Amino acid sequence: MTMAIEAGAGLRLLAVESSCDETAVAVVEDGRRILASVVASQTVLHARTGGIVPEVAARAHLRWMLPVLDEAIARAGLHDAGGVDAIAVTFGPGLAGSLLVGLTMAKTLAFLHDRPLVAVNHLEGHIYAGWLLDPGQEAEAPDFPAVALVVSGGHTFLVEMRDHLSYRLLGQTVDDAAGEAFDKVGRLLGLPYPGGPAIQRAAEGAGSRGRRLPRAWLGDSLDFSFSGLKTAVRRMVVAEVGGTADDGALVPDALAAEIAAGFQDSVVDVLATKTALAAERCGARTIVLGGGVAANGPLRAAMGDRAAALGARLVVPRPDLCTDNGAMIGAAGYRRFLAGERAGLDLDARSSLKLAKPA
Ligand code: KG4
Ligand code: ZN
């Protein structure tokens, strides 16, 4: 069924996200204004195991979904979920058991309140986080053509957007995702989970003493590779402290800081250089960054410089909207809703859902 709906009509979506280790519900107006965004993070839970155990994550979503929903409804000033125009939900990619908790919640609300259900790709959510504003905040919406870099725990890719919901894949990682590299290197250095924020903090203590680590340029392609860098870190740790580097607790703080700084420099250099190259090749007016690694301070700063040199506008969500949240699903869901997309109550989880196929 397709319905013509005008943009900017005060449309409210309630959005549910549970693809990984954040239980999140948000209420978003017109795909941009955040009326409420509540995130319950399981980071503390997964710190014990140094990574996510899928069944533990799914059970935590079950535990937190209803309290998070209630809090989002209250903060948005709604009586119940019937106070919105549609329900958006992440249906992939992600952990199947985790996705199913959010899907069941969203379908129940759609059925109970007789509201349309909109299926959202989590990766599209990370891109549309760039459209979000707090109430009262004003900013032009990102302009096309745009180039978007998505850097999360499970994905790293560059796409060109010439219009809403239209993606041409320019490049992607051939091995580890950038966030995965941060997490694995964090473990090698004995830093707490998740590795990204811990490495950024550790690197701040290194000053200019960062170790030089390799960059995988892969010729002039826009693909990425981070597994060689991880191996280089492992070798450096073994050479300096011995052992197998599997017990990162043995790495002294000063050395961890120096390696963290060198690793971060390498990742930021490659991400920023390739994103700028993509923007130049596409004649992009806007560069959008999204995904957890886009919360990284040095990456945000480096991208700002590159965008300025190109005369392009850089759009990066504030750090808590780079990591997983419900508001980004409301932003992307709004675009899908405007396009007339409606999901049935038989909507299923798609663990390996893609955003764009190679050109
Ligand atoms: O987007 P996200 O919250 O979840 C996924 O969809 O994967 O991304 C999580 C990833 C983790 O790998 C985490 O280490 C990384 O984002 N991350 C960071 C920072 N904050 C989170 N990486 C580098 N610097 C940060 N400040
Ligand atoms: Zn994510």
Side-chain angles (χ1 to χ4, degrees), residues 119-180:
V120 178
N121 182 317
H122 179 85
L123 303 170
E124 185 166 63
H126 275 307
I127 294 175
Y128 273 90
W131 271 256
L132 290 168
L133 300 171
D134 283 324
Q137 188 192 348
E138 293 291 331
E140 290 284 312
D143 213 358
F144 300 112
V147 156
L149 171 71
V150 175
V151 269
S152 71
H155 298 85
T156 294
F157 61 86
L158 272 165
V159 286
E160 175 188 27
M161 290 177 76
R162 298 219 152 248
D163 201 351
H164 283 296
L165 310 180
S166 134
Y167 311 97
R168 186 168 71 91
L169 185 65
L170 302 169
Q172 60 187 329
T173 182
V174 298
D175 41 54
D176 292 350
E180 190 181 354

Side-chain angles (χ1 to χ4, degrees), residues 105-119:
M105 182 78 262
K107 287 190 217 178
T108 305
L109 293 174
F111 179 74
L112 202 62
H113 298 285
D114 194 21
R115 291 290 180 273
L117 182 68
V118 182

Side-chain angles (χ1 to χ4, degrees), residues 122 126 152-154 179-180 182-183 194-197 200 291-293 295-296 322-324:
H122 179 85
H126 275 307
S152 71
E180 190 181 354
F182 269 98
D183 294 338
Q200 183 181 328
V293 180
N296 184 266
C322 289
T323 48
D324 290 349

Side-chain angles (χ1 to χ4, degrees), residues 77-104:
L78 302 176
H79 175 63
D80 59 29
V84 299
D85 299 283
I87 311 290
V89 62
T90 304
F91 74 116
L95 302 169
S98 291
L99 287 164
L100 286 172
V101 178
L103 276 170
T104 304

Side-chain angles (χ1 to χ4, degrees), residues 53-102:
V53 177
E55 192 185 324
V56 173
R59 286 176 191 271
H61 284 302
L62 268 181
R63 164 73 183 79
W64 286 105
M65 188 54 82
L66 282 171
V68 167
L69 171 72
D70 286 346
E71 183 64 23
I73 287 173
R75 285 196 202 167
L78 302 176
H79 175 63
D80 59 29
V84 299
D85 299 283
I87 311 290
V89 62
T90 304
F91 74 116
L95 302 169
S98 291
L99 287 164
L100 286 172
V101 178

